[in-house]
Amino acid sequence: MSRSSRICLLPLAALAASAPAQATVYLSIEDAQRAMFGEQAMTARPLTLDAAQMKAIEQASGVPVRGSLLRAWRAADGGWFLLDAVIGKSELITYALGLDTQGRIKQVEVLEYRESHGGEIRYPGWRKQFVDKTVGNELRIGDDIDGISGATLSCEHVTDGIRRLVAAWALVLKPLG
Amino acid sequence: MNRLRRARPWLGTLVEIEAEAALDSAAVLAAINAAFAAIAAVHAAMSVQQPDSELSRLNAGAHRRALPVSAPLLQVLRTALDLAAASDGAFDPVVGGRLTALGLLPAAAFAAAPEASWRDLQIDDHGRVWFARPLRLDLGGIAKGYAVDEAVAVLRAAGMHAAQVNAGGDLRVFGAAPQRIALRDPRAPSRLAHAIELQDQALATSAPYHTAAAGLPSALIEPRSGQPYAGGDSLSVIAPSCLIADALTKVALFATPARRDALLERHDARLLILSADSH
């Protein structure tokens, strides 16, 4: 079959020759706090939720509460900075939620995005063993990848997590005054 | 030179923006924040999931009377209609009824005919939109690309020297140096199969990730038949704009070769097919 010169067929090598996607760190906790609360003093106020609180948050948000630790910081103006992590199909996303004194969302920042390799075998020598194909302008995969295309990753777990944290604010943090 | 990278949840996915400029980091961060604001505006106007979006208001009422729409939504709808006609419906923004019937979109408060198509969508001389019958527009195949283009325009205007905007795999880059983009392996999307170089270009990918490997039907639906994409290939389109790259991945999945090739030519686009069974 003749193909348009605008079409390039890239054969897939054996799966073992493909490289695991890497983790990305976007910003530190301190940088995220500064991004949301400026130069305000932030006081760590970690809380351990009891069983009743966890159940109430689940009911209010419709999202399961899997851990009892609420990683919270209080801003000088009374706002809250909450740190959380969610697990998706194959990814672990650490994110922070900034809430103002009324519990309104100021900002959401992803701190770190990590793709687990699941049961796939980590391939220590993959850089050496990966065959450099020379189709089109294709390059060898290395550490210097600037971006990844494909798989519209759902952020459903992050939006669920935000709903859970907002419920935790209303039920647990707001009553602290 | 200051370079910053940020990621936030928008458009139902994780949007990542990286920008670099010979400005202080506060200026780079301000540009990134402005670019995220542009994406948030597209999300607010064009999300099919949000009942209060401009798109959802059209879906709920445009079969009763012609409704005025904002300039950005009108631009996306005109492009979508143009591509739908040129691809003979292989790309179709009216696929929402099918997706709803298949449970791929949450149910809406209104009834949408699954078999409705782009032919039932009309734009009158005053730029108002009306539907010949109840239908559900879903811009999921094009709005992410448009949002990426809008964010890139904001970053350029803010004096960024180089940038990348990536909305869950639909991305666009600019800058003096080429950027390396990896393509996921459709058989195991947490692995990267190939890398290509882009410069002042956009790239979008459609592939039956997760579903094919899990033995499930693909969530990529052929709009005319309502059948899921049965192949295992990953299709990527490189184009001057992300709007076009995004939409042309659906053309590449479902259009006849003649229409596909004509559209690639017309939009100065290239198609990359990652195939497991090509040899």
Side-chain angles (χ1 to χ4, degrees), chain B residues 111-238:
Chain B
E115 66 281 6
S117 80
W118 61 278
R119 290 187 171 83
D120 300 310
L121 170 64
Q122 311 283 334
I123 302 174
D124 71 16
D125 293 341
H126 307 285
R128 289 176 309 189
V129 173
W130 65 276
F131 302 159
R133 56 173 156 175
L135 57 82
R136 195 173 198 187
L137 277 168
D138 175 9
L139 299 176
I142 192 168
K144 267 204 288 293
Y146 175 75
V148 167
D149 290 338
E150 290 289 290
V152 162
V154 167
L155 294 167
R156 275 187 194 278
M160 297 300 106
H161 167 82
Q164 179 185 138
V165 179
N166 188 342
D170 294 350
L171 60 92
R172 183 165 167 181
V173 306
F174 72 86
Q179 298 188 33
R180 291 181 172 204
I181 308 298
L183 303 176
R184 291 179 187 278
D185 192 318
R187 298 162 301 180
S190 66
R191 301 184 76 91
L192 308 176
H194 285 274
I196 56 163
E197 227 169 25
L198 295 183
Q199 190 172 4
D200 293 324
Q201 285 166 311
L203 172 72
T205 298
S206 281
Y209 297 124
H210 304 299
T211 50
L216 299 167
S218 165
L220 302 168
I221 301 301
E222 143 72 80
R224 293 161 297 196
S225 67
Q227 293 299 307
Y229 172 60
D233 295 348
S234 163
L235 304 180
S236 296
V237 173
I238 300 173

Side-chain angles (χ1 to χ4, degrees), chain A residues 19 26 109 138 146 149 151 153, chain B residues 13 16 180 192 194 205 209:
Chain A
Y26 294 96
E109 287 282 359
E138 179 196 355
D146 299 305
S149 181
L153 296 157
Chain B
T13 187
E16 184 186 80
R180 291 181 172 204
L192 308 176
H194 285 274
T205 298
Y209 297 124

Side-chain angles (χ1 to χ4, degrees), chain B:
Chain B
M1 201 62 78
N2 270 301
R3 173 194 287 250
L4 289 175
R5 179 146 74 156
R6 293 286 184 269
R8 294 179 196 165
W10 284 116
L11 310 167
T13 187
L14 215 57
V15 179
E16 184 186 80
I17 299 181
E18 181 169 23
E20 184 181 276
L23 300 168
D24 62 25
S25 60
V28 176
L29 187 57
I32 289 176
N33 281 335
F36 273 119
I39 284 170
V42 174
H43 180 106
M46 303 186 199
S47 165
V48 69
Q49 311 267 2
Q50 267 183 230
D52 58 346
S53 71
E54 193 185 357
L55 186 74
S56 291
R57 277 184 277 124
L58 269 190
N59 279 336
H63 61 284
R64 291 198 198 90
R65 62 188 179 90
L67 294 174
V69 295
S70 66
L73 182 53
L74 189 60
Q75 184 195 336
V76 171
L77 286 176
R78 284 196 198 281
T79 308
L81 270 182
D82 178 51
L83 288 165
S87 70
D88 191 29
F91 169 84
D92 191 338
V94 182
V95 73
R98 292 241 185 252
L99 300 181
T100 310
L102 292 164
L104 294 168
L105 272 182
F110 53 90
E115 66 281 6
S117 80
W118 61 278
R119 290 187 171 83
D120 300 310
L121 170 64
Q122 311 283 334
I123 302 174
D124 71 16
D125 293 341
H126 307 285
R128 289 176 309 189
V129 173
W130 65 276
F131 302 159
R133 56 173 156 175
L135 57 82
R136 195 173 198 187
L137 277 168
D138 175 9
L139 299 176
I142 192 168
K144 267 204 288 293
Y146 175 75
V148 167
D149 290 338
E150 290 289 290
V152 162
V154 167
L155 294 167
R156 275 187 194 278
M160 297 300 106
H161 167 82
Q164 179 185 138
V165 179
N166 188 342
D170 294 350
L171 60 92
R172 183 165 167 181
V173 306
F174 72 86
Q179 298 188 33
R180 291 181 172 204
I181 308 298
L183 303 176
R184 291 179 187 278
D185 192 318
R187 298 162 301 180
S190 66
R191 301 184 76 91
L192 308 176
H194 285 274
I196 56 163
E197 227 169 25
L198 295 183
Q199 190 172 4
D200 293 324
Q201 285 166 311
L203 172 72
T205 298
S206 281
Y209 297 124
H210 304 299
T211 50
L216 299 167
S218 165
L220 302 168
I221 301 301
E222 143 72 80
R224 293 161 297 196
S225 67
Q227 293 299 307
Y229 172 60
D233 295 348
S234 163
L235 304 180
S236 296
V237 173
I238 300 173
S241 80
C242 200
L243 172 83
I244 291 298
D246 195 2
L248 287 190
T249 60
K250 282 59 150 190
V251 170
L253 282 170
F254 300 123
T256 61
R259 287 185 184 270
R260 174 198 65 199
D261 294 353
L263 275 165
L264 291 172
E265 195 67 39
R266 195 215 292 181
H267 292 285
D268 192 20
R270 288 179 59 210
L271 170 63
L272 307 178
I273 305 173
L274 280 186
S275 182
D277 42 32
S278 60
H279 45 116

